[in-house]
Amino acid sequence: MKIGIVGLGLIGGSLGLDFRAAGHWVGGVSRQQATCDFAIAQGVADAAGSDFELLRDAEVVFVCTPLGVMQQTTQALIPFLKAETILTDVGSVKASVVESLEPLWPRFIGGHPMAGKEVAGIQAAQAHLFVDRPYVLTPSSNTPGDIKAVLIELIQTLGSKYYECSPAQHDRAVAWISHLPVMVSASLIAACQQEPETSSLALAQALASSGFRDTSRVGGGNSELGRMMAQYNRDELLRSIQFYRQSLGQIEMAIEQNRWDDLETFLSQTHQDRTNFVD
Amino acid sequence: MKIGIVGLGLIGGSLGLDFRAAGHWVGGVSRQQATCDFAIAQGVADAAGSDFELLRDAEVVFVCTPLGVMQQTTQALIPFLKAETILTDVGSVKASVVESLEPLWPRFIGGHPMAGKEVAGIQAAQAHLFVDRPYVLTPSSNTPGDIKAVLIELIQTLGSKYYECSPAQHDRAVAWISHLPVMVSASLIAACQQEPETSSLALAQALASSGFRDTSRVGGGNSELGRMMAQYNRDELLRSIQFYRQSLGQIEMAIEQNRWDDLETFLSQTHQDRTNFVD
């Protein structure tokens, strides 16, 4: 199959490695010549350049740019596509992306391969990045029935776990498990840093250990990505923050009112509930 | 040196292993005969039993019980101690512990070896648990000057990093980096679990990955320990939650008002500030 990848970063680059390893032809498009050279040298793509002309024969094209430029990139891309070409994206939010891309191309389906790494860029691309990771497709009522099967086969090539839901369901779920944690975790760092006593702040910084490290990790991550999550999944994120405030309020009230048994019951429940989310 | 350890769990057991390896005699006291047998078999103690009589010749005694029984345990212990014996504890909060134990014994100093593990109990005890970990002593104005030097030497034996501060300073610092993260993290789990739509909850649970895993880890931990943190460090924890609410509110307002540049600036700051706490 001839596969196009627009945007050669961590996700686009890793997709290229796996698709080529599976015997597909991969054409990569990036505005940076250095990225294209790197992609060829590392086996990410069979051909790479800044010209969409490269994807003239592509049967499936993955848009792998940052969320903020997906619409304009796709607008520039579509004059070069064959009418049969399947278009998909890898954005980490789906309702707003599907809303902006679907009208541009009839054979579009939204997607989200959920394999993040701490580092970004094609230098971080790696084979097998998506193995055992979720890959969500978000067909809408407008999605042509035949294109899903093509993508599912490619997703199986990656070794990913396939999920399917509406764009709205996707965004609600990732608000909970990805976007809310970033804001909760960033608030922790910001709160600690607000300690007005210099000596107490210095001692806290010196004593911080694995508990603080883990809880603060995603809140100390890529700020541009954090902004995009919020900007493109605003309503679901705000909704999840509302629920979060209630939970924090329950804990705070229990402590204020010295209801220690209630607090322990609450924490027993979270201990148990966590196993529904992660091992 | 003859060292007594009262309470043979993770911390007490690990201290015993290291002190014995350094050539000290270790007497361990536990109410459970099985724990005493295990301690002897695993080289945690030279002698172990349920009778405080065992510690008659001890020069330093570490109280390593849970916070909730430290006072009553120490009251039962002191009739058996020599007048010169140094008494210390390993509790994870200090102001309330020092307040309750210091009046019981003139040669007391509070301490906190900061090496937690996911698992508790003597089965989890291990040699070198405290290497490169902070060990905080919290002398008060009543602490006799000579006893600190004895403990610092033992702390060096463990390979720990030594810190010294007042009980109140300790509790303020650990509220930030240990106790607040537990409540922040538990609130995240509880909030997610509140999602009223069954299918969205199921999807969130299926898609949860490393970001959720790390952010929720300490909130899904030992509920009894979480309760004790709050109960014994109540005021500092409530103070830190107040600051936390403000930080979360700043993020929430930025999102509500679509101030995306402000949000990105906030997240850039937390990205940078985190490096003050952890590598």
Side-chain angles (χ1 to χ4, degrees):
Chain A
M1 188 173 279
K2 291 189 191 307
I3 296 175
I5 295 178
V6 178
L8 296 169
L10 167 67
I11 301 295
S14 300
L15 287 174
L17 286 169
D18 284 357
F19 289 149
R20 284 194 76 234
H24 300 295
W25 178 90
V26 172
V29 174
S30 168
R31 284 181 302 185
Q32 312 277 338
Q33 187 56 44
T35 301
C36 295
D37 295 344
F38 189 90
I40 297 291
Q42 297 295 313
V44 163
D46 294 277
S50 59
D51 194 341
F52 290 124
E53 178 73 26
L54 201 66
L55 307 183
R56 177 186 292 279
D57 295 325
E59 293 152 274
V60 181
V61 175
F62 290 78
V63 180
C64 303
T65 67
L67 290 171
V69 294
M70 273 193 175
Q71 187 170 25
Q72 69 190 70
T73 301
T74 304
Q75 272 167 333
L77 162 70
I78 51 175
F80 297 87
L81 301 182
K82 294 187 297 185
E84 317 89 83
T85 302
I86 294 170
L87 189 70
T88 188
D89 77 295
V90 301
S92 58
V93 299
K94 295 270 62 80
S96 57
V97 168
V98 171
E99 200 178 312
S100 68
L101 300 195
E102 198 177 63
L104 300 177
W105 192 250
R107 292 175 64 69
F108 170 81
I109 186 168
H112 182 199
M114 298 184 67
K117 278 175 66 175
E118 301 286 297
V119 280
I122 194 168
Q123 291 80 6
Q126 63 178 67
H128 313 304
L129 180 64
F130 307 101
V131 172
D132 289 333
R133 311 298 317 135
Y135 197 122
V136 188
L137 289 183
T138 59
S140 75
S141 53
N142 304 316
T143 309
D146 64 307
I147 73 179
K148 212 172 72 182
V150 175
L151 277 167
I152 290 176
E153 207 175 312
L154 288 174
I155 289 167
Q156 281 165 350
T157 298
L158 301 171
S160 303
K161 293 183 194 163
Y162 175 63
Y163 292 92
E164 184 181 324
C165 61
S166 72
Q169 281 174 319
H170 168 275
D171 289 357
R172 178 155 291 182
V174 295
W176 284 123
I177 55 92
S178 175
H179 305 169
L180 176 62
V182 167
M183 305 309 157
V184 159
S185 176
S187 301
L188 173 66
I189 301 167
C192 292
Q193 195 64 36
Q194 275 181 63
E195 167 60 55
E197 269 189 32
T198 317
S199 63
S200 292
L201 177 59
L203 186 65
Q205 289 171 343
L207 300 182
S209 180
S210 60
F212 186 86
R213 171 174 288 112
D214 284 1
T215 317
S216 68
R217 185 174 68 79
V218 298
N222 185 311
S223 58
E224 193 188 338
L225 197 61
R227 170 224 183 107
M228 290 295 164
M229 290 173 175
Q231 192 168 351
Y232 289 91
N233 201 18
R234 177 183 181 277
D235 296 348
E236 287 298 331
L237 179 54
L238 284 174
R239 175 179 179 271
S240 72
I241 292 174
Q242 290 301 325
F243 278 97
Y244 182 80
R245 281 193 167 282
Q246 288 170 25
S247 294
L248 183 64
Q250 283 182 281
I251 285 182
E252 193 179 14
M253 285 285 276
I255 298 173
E256 259 172 10
Q257 298 171 358
N258 301 303
R259 289 189 282 104
W260 309 118
D261 286 346
D262 289 351
L263 179 65
E264 192 171 339
T265 302
F266 189 101
L267 296 174
S268 294
Q269 192 63 49
T270 59
H271 173 77
Q272 193 182 312
D273 288 341
R274 182 171 183 262
T275 63
N276 298 328
F277 291 85
V278 290
D279 299 330
Chain B
M1 189 173 278
K2 291 187 190 307
I3 297 174
I5 295 178
V6 178
L8 296 169
L10 167 67
I11 301 295
S14 299
L15 287 174
L17 286 169
D18 284 358
F19 289 148
R20 283 195 76 233
H24 300 295
W25 178 90
V26 172
V29 174
S30 167
R31 284 180 304 185
Q32 311 277 337
Q33 187 57 44
T35 301
C36 295
D37 295 344
F38 190 90
I40 297 291
Q42 297 295 313
V44 162
D46 294 277
S50 59
D51 194 341
F52 290 124
E53 178 74 25
L54 201 65
L55 307 183
R56 175 187 293 279
D57 295 324
E59 293 151 274
V60 181
V61 175
F62 290 78
V63 179
C64 304
T65 67
L67 289 170
V69 295
M70 274 193 175
Q71 187 171 25
Q72 71 191 68
T73 302
T74 303
Q75 273 166 332
L77 163 69
I78 51 176
F80 296 86
L81 301 183
K82 295 188 296 184
E84 317 89 82
T85 301
I86 295 170
L87 188 70
T88 187
D89 77 296
V90 301
S92 57
V93 298
K94 296 269 62 80
S96 57
V97 168
V98 170
E99 200 178 311
S100 68
L101 300 195
E102 198 176 63
L104 300 177
W105 191 250
R107 292 175 62 72
F108 170 82
I109 185 168
H112 182 199
M114 298 184 67
K117 277 176 66 175
E118 300 286 297
V119 280
I122 194 167
Q123 291 80 5
Q126 63 178 68
H128 313 304
L129 180 66
F130 307 101
V131 172
D132 289 333
R133 310 298 318 135
Y135 197 121
V136 188
L137 289 184
T138 58
S140 75
S141 53
N142 304 316
T143 309
D146 65 307
I147 73 178
K148 211 171 71 180
V150 175
L151 277 168
I152 289 176
E153 207 176 310
L154 288 174
I155 289 168
Q156 281 165 349
T157 298
L158 300 172
S160 303
K161 293 182 194 163
Y162 176 64
Y163 292 92
E164 184 180 324
C165 61
S166 71
Q169 281 174 319
H170 169 277
D171 288 357
R172 176 155 290 183
V174 297
W176 284 122
I177 55 91
S178 175
H179 305 169
L180 177 62
V182 168
M183 304 309 157
V184 160
S185 176
S187 301
L188 173 65
I189 301 167
C192 293
Q193 195 65 37
Q194 275 181 65
E195 167 60 55
E197 270 189 32
T198 316
S199 62
S200 293
L201 177 60
L203 187 63
Q205 290 171 343
L207 299 182
S209 179
S210 59
F212 187 87
R213 172 175 286 111
D214 284 1
T215 317
S216 68
R217 185 175 65 82
V218 298
N222 185 312
S223 58
E224 192 188 339
L225 197 61
R227 171 224 182 107
M228 290 295 165
M229 290 172 174
Q231 192 168 352
Y232 289 91
N233 201 18
R234 178 183 179 278
D235 296 348
E236 287 299 331
L237 179 55
L238 284 174
R239 173 179 180 272
S240 72
I241 291 174
Q242 290 301 324
F243 279 97
Y244 181 81
R245 281 192 167 282
Q246 287 170 27
S247 294
L248 183 65
Q250 283 181 280
I251 286 183
E252 193 179 15
M253 285 286 275
I255 298 172
E256 260 171 8
Q257 299 171 358
N258 301 303
R259 290 188 282 104
W260 308 120
D261 288 345
D262 289 351
L263 180 65
E264 192 171 338
T265 302
F266 189 102
L267 297 175
S268 294
Q269 192 63 50
T270 58
H271 173 77
Q272 193 183 312
D273 288 342
R274 182 171 183 262
T275 62
N276 298 327
F277 291 85
V278 290
D279 301 329

